[in-house]
Amino acid sequence: MANLKAIRDRIQSVKNTKKITEAMRLVAAAKVRRAQEQVNNTRPFADRLAQVLYGLQSRLKFEDVDLPLLRQRSIKTVGILVVSGDRGLCGGYNGNVIRRADQRSKELLAEGVNVKMIVVGRKANQYFSRRGYDIAAAYDGLEQIPSASEASQIADELLSLFLSETVDRVELVYTKFVSLISSRPVVQTLLPLDPQGLEASDDEIFRLTTRGGQFQVERERVDLPTAPLPRDTIFEQDPVQILNALLPLYLNNQLLRALQESAASELAARMTAMSNATDNAKTLIGTLTLTYNKARQAAITQEILEVCGGAEALRS
């Protein structure tokens, strides 16, 4: 009976764990929807900014414009901005982006380039701090769904490092959201801004939907408005000054989009991890229930044999 009680207690423990993992999966799904809403809310400003920049690009030759954010310098020090999470229980999300940033830093060091780390998320901060990396700035405890103010704070730090020539280039390592079961860490150059990168290109937004009781992500291709400015447009200010004012906004927008992609990737990874944990708990409950039934049947059979053996002894 002691063995049966231990199996019953374990079954109950696994059931409790299953309730927790299922609740965490649903919470992550709700936050993915919030991230989706935020992406949709920030799109009008991003689209309008891209349209204005494209119009300015059609009137100016960016290669001939001498602006600090477009200025190319000889590369002596590179700042690597790593975007990770504050918590675990999200599969390989943190491990993948940290490994990619570590690999990129080693590549730069092998080329004789100094590296400074700017880390977002407690996991990346812990990893690179323990290994003696030069950390110029660290941010953790951010909102689960990134806000524009947080992106602006990080962008200000990057601009300060770049304009003071503490770093000659800033690279961003973040996780690009692909689907609920797929994401990949990518490296992107943030500073100096590449004139070719300001050209409009096809973009995508994601939508979390349900079909057949299951969550799924639909990606929608979006064409940005790229009509050039009319030739008779009159600028009250020098177009170069307008461009100089808009480039920091463009940087903020790029960083905010990367933070949103990373947040969506983390939440999707947590959804998948908790879904797998829930399925494993169901399987384990079934296995333990079968073991319990077998043990209970064996105990009943043993009791019947003991009763029969006692009755036979009395008759003899």
Side-chain angles (χ1 to χ4, degrees), residues 2 14 21 37 70 85 90 100 109 142 146 156 160 174 195 222 234:
V14 175
T21 56
E37 292 174 359
L70 299 176
C90 51
R100 185 67 184 93
L109 291 172
L142 303 182
D156 289 343
S160 176
Y174 73 103
V222 177
I234 299 175

Side-chain angles (χ1 to χ4, degrees), residues 15-29:
K15 286 182 178 179
N16 293 337
T17 301
K18 175 176 170 291
K19 291 179 182 178
I20 294 173
T21 56
E22 179 65 15
M24 292 179 67
R25 183 183 75 88
L26 295 176
V27 169

Side-chain angles (χ1 to χ4, degrees), residues 247-261:
L247 288 179
L249 294 177
Y250 177 78
L251 176 64
N252 288 356
N253 182 70
Q254 290 291 95
L255 185 54
L256 177 59
R257 183 60 187 272
L259 292 175
Q260 291 172 340
E261 291 265 351

Side-chain angles (χ1 to χ4, degrees), residues 16 25 91 100 104 122 140 157 167 169 227 240 248 251 254 271 292 302 313:
N16 293 337
R25 183 183 75 88
R100 185 67 184 93
R104 180 57 181 161
R122 189 173 294 112
D140 56 27
E157 179 65 27
V167 299
R169 187 172 70 212
V240 175
L251 176 64
Q254 290 291 95
M271 280 183 59
Y292 174 80
Q302 181 64 29

